[in-house]
Amino acid sequence: GTISSSSASSSSCCLLIKLVKKLPPNSTQPAPFLTFETKGHTSVVLHDVPISKPLSRAQMTELQNSLDDAQVLPPTLVGVDDLARLQSFIDRMKQLGDFIEVTVSKLGQLHLKVSTSLLTLGAEFKHLMVVGERGAERDGNSDHYNVNNSVVQVSMKQFAKCLQFHLAKPDSAFYGVASHGGSFTVVFQFFLPGTRQTDKSISLHCRLPVLDPGTS
């Protein structure tokens, strides 16, 4: 393909961008390049930039689906107002391991767990506000647990960095797992001063990749 760009002025240069295949130096296999071609009044300048192999149609579809999913909030979000306690737990636990297991429950609970070969430590937040899909309280077996809980593992370092947004002094934070368990989302909420109404002029959230899908 070719992309051209020029201004309305007849004295300006025209830039052509072409996707081509060429033989790299000391190679017998053609490779893709972006060729930048600039034409002046008396000269032509060419510059080749090697690029990776273009994505296939299937890869483009997969990438687009991932981007679309990233725009959708998790089906269940649980809100934590006690941000100081959560921050304190992560500050104490981040030296113990590289990963943290997070459980988001449709019953309004958030569980955090850090495990090493010697010990397991965790924190529980209960009776939380639930936004989205809610679970039904009833006695049940492991199937009931799996229906109401999404369990994922994320990087401790990334989770700690995400919580640094607390420095912006949000009033609460909501946590959720994507429908397919591929990401963990934190949405920070800010209230209008002196009210419990959301300040819609402020939008702040982070999305962490899941290292182990766990069970959901």
Side-chain angles (χ1 to χ4, degrees):
T2 302
I3 300 176
S4 63
S5 175
S6 62
S7 68
S9 173
S10 60
S11 62
S12 64
C13 298
C14 177
L15 174 65
L16 297 178
I17 304 175
K18 301 178 181 178
L19 175 61
V20 299
K21 275 191 173 183
K22 291 187 176 183
L23 284 176
N26 304 319
S27 176
T28 59
Q29 295 293 328
F33 285 81
L34 281 181
T35 295
F36 295 84
E37 178 180 326
T38 304
K39 294 182 179 181
H41 291 294
T42 58
S43 63
V44 175
V45 178
L46 297 175
H47 183 65
D48 293 329
V49 179
I51 61 173
S52 61
K53 183 180 179 180
L55 297 178
S56 66
R57 184 178 297 275
Q59 290 172 321
M60 284 296 297
T61 300
E62 182 179 357
L63 176 60
Q64 185 61 55
N65 289 339
S66 298
L67 293 175
D68 291 341
D69 288 343
Q71 306 303 316
V72 180
L73 288 175
T76 299
L77 290 167
V78 294
V80 177
D81 292 331
D82 193 354
L83 304 182
R85 179 188 165 202
L86 178 58
Q87 181 74 63
S88 176
F89 174 78
I90 296 300
D91 287 342
R92 288 183 284 112
M93 296 300 106
K94 63 184 179 183
Q95 302 301 327
L96 294 181
D98 296 328
F99 314 110
I100 181 170
E101 183 180 285
V102 183
T103 301
V104 175
S105 171
K106 294 180 180 179
L107 302 178
Q109 300 176 13
L110 177 70
H111 304 267
L112 306 174
K113 184 171 70 175
V114 181
S115 299
T116 71
S117 58
L118 299 177
L119 54 85
T120 296
L121 297 174
E124 293 184 346
F125 298 82
K126 297 183 177 182
H127 310 295
L128 306 176
M129 177 187 295
V130 178
V131 177
E133 295 180 6
R134 299 171 180 267
E137 287 276 11
R138 72 174 187 268
D139 294 331
N141 53 26
S142 60
D143 291 336
H144 177 63
Y145 177 87
N146 292 334
V147 167
N148 282 319
N149 294 274
S150 296
V151 185
V152 295
Q153 190 178 69
V154 297
S155 163
M156 173 68 82
K157 184 177 181 180
Q158 291 181 345
F159 191 66
K161 284 186 176 180
C162 178
L163 292 186
Q164 289 179 0
F165 285 124
H166 288 180
L167 297 175
K169 299 188 181 304
D171 293 286
S172 63
F174 289 84
Y175 303 83
V177 177
S179 299
H180 303 295
S183 63
F184 174 68
T185 300
V186 183
V187 180
F188 296 96
Q189 183 182 39
F190 297 83
F191 294 140
L192 293 170
T195 74
R196 296 286 295 180
Q197 296 181 354
T198 300
D199 186 346
K200 296 182 179 181
S201 67
I202 303 176
S203 176
L204 181 60
H205 75 277
C206 59
R207 182 173 283 107
L208 306 182
V210 168
L211 304 178
D212 180 0
T215 57
S216 59

